[in-house]
Structures are given as C-alpha cells and as structure tokens.
Amino acid sequence: MADQNHELRRAGLKVTLPRVKILQILESSAGEHLSAEDVYKALLDAGEDVGLATVYRVLTQFESAGLVMRHNFDGGHAVFEMSHDEHHDHMVCLESGQIIEFYDEQIERRQQEIVEEHGYELVDHALVLYVRPKGSRATRQEGIKKSS
C-alpha cells in the first residue's frame, strides 16, 4: 500500500482509500484493459464499499494525472490501462473483444518517416488494428460478398 500512496502523492492526488484500492486493482491487472464496471466488480468481489460513480470519478482523476490511459476501442466503451513508459499499439478482436498489445519497430519507423515526409513532428500516436480470426464465419462471408 505504501507504493500506491507514493504513486498517488507523486501524481498530485490526495491518498484516499477508494483511490488506493482502485490503483491496486489496476496494477494487479497489468496488461489487461479494464472498464469502470470491471473495476467496480473487482471492488465488490474484494468486499470494498465503493460506488460506481466514485470509480468513474477516480478513473477520470487518474487519467488527468497521467496514471492511466483511457481507450475507446469498441463502440465508445471506455477501458483503462496503467500508463507505461514504453509505447505499444493494440489489436482488438472483433469476435472475442480480446485486446492484444504489440510493438513493431518497422511500423514505428515508417510512421516517423511519413510524418517527416509531410513536414511535421510526431508528438503522439495510437494505432489500433481491428481483427478477427482467420477462417471465422464473418471472414468467410465477406469473402463470398467480394467474389459475387
């Protein structure tokens, strides 16, 4: 808990029990992308009495403080992950909803080249690839439509 207290103070946030508990949940699910509802359910499962409105408010505060990143991958449904020092991109499976993190040096280099070719400086970016398993029913149906 001392680590969470230090992290909250460093981010300029007052240490409160709901903030500490929510931060613990996010840190323990590293690599996962949790919705506010996921965090709320985890709090309930742990026997914590924190309301859903508080979860939303704290996640917004964490985002403003740079502790978490918010993503709106699928239909505007927000999910959160701990902020990382290292950059990564995402693939979202349209069938399972699974979110896969990846990093590719060639993609990163090419994006930088494109920005420079257009006379700009890259400040930030987010790449999201929407995918489905090869051979899935939806993929086969799209193939039928294209060949018609």
Side-chain angles (χ1 to χ4, degrees):
M1 191 149 117
D3 289 342
Q4 286 84 16
N5 291 355
H6 175 71
E7 208 165 337
L8 289 170
R9 284 191 191 101
R10 195 178 70 224
L13 295 171
K14 184 177 172 184
V15 176
T16 64
L17 190 59
R19 286 182 182 147
V20 170
K21 295 297 182 184
I22 291 169
L23 189 57
Q24 286 174 339
I25 288 168
L26 292 168
E27 287 178 339
S28 70
S29 62
E32 291 184 54
H33 299 75
L34 302 177
S35 68
E37 292 81 7
D38 294 332
V39 173
Y40 177 67
K41 286 177 192 166
L43 288 165
L44 289 179
D45 291 345
E48 300 296 335
D49 186 27
V50 178
L52 183 57
T54 300
V55 172
Y56 276 105
R57 185 174 58 255
V58 168
L59 288 171
T60 300
Q61 292 166 347
F62 284 3
E63 181 186 15
S64 296
L67 290 174
V68 300
M69 293 181 66
R70 175 191 309 253
H71 301 285
N72 293 304
F73 293 130
D74 189 21
H77 185 73
V79 293
F80 298 84
E81 69 174 321
M82 294 298 299
S83 293
H84 304 283
D85 291 335
E86 69 282 346
H87 170 78
H88 63 269
D89 295 305
H90 297 93
M91 286 190 294
V92 178
C93 178
L94 295 172
E95 290 188 11
S96 69
Q98 180 184 10
I99 300 168
I100 302 113
E101 296 179 353
F102 72 95
Y103 176 82
D104 185 284
E105 185 61 44
Q106 289 179 315
I107 291 173
E108 298 303 316
R109 186 174 47 254
R110 186 63 188 125
Q111 289 174 123
Q112 185 63 44
E113 291 169 359
I114 291 168
V115 167
E116 290 174 5
E117 287 169 8
H118 286 86
Y120 289 94
E121 174 185 354
L122 184 61
V123 176
D124 193 14
H125 79 279
L127 174 65
V128 180
L129 304 174
Y130 294 92
V131 300
R132 69 172 51 101
K134 285 185 175 182
S136 70
R137 183 171 180 228
T139 303
R140 288 193 307 270
Q141 287 177 336
E142 283 182 11
I144 293 168
K145 289 178 188 175
K146 288 180 183 176
S147 63
S148 299

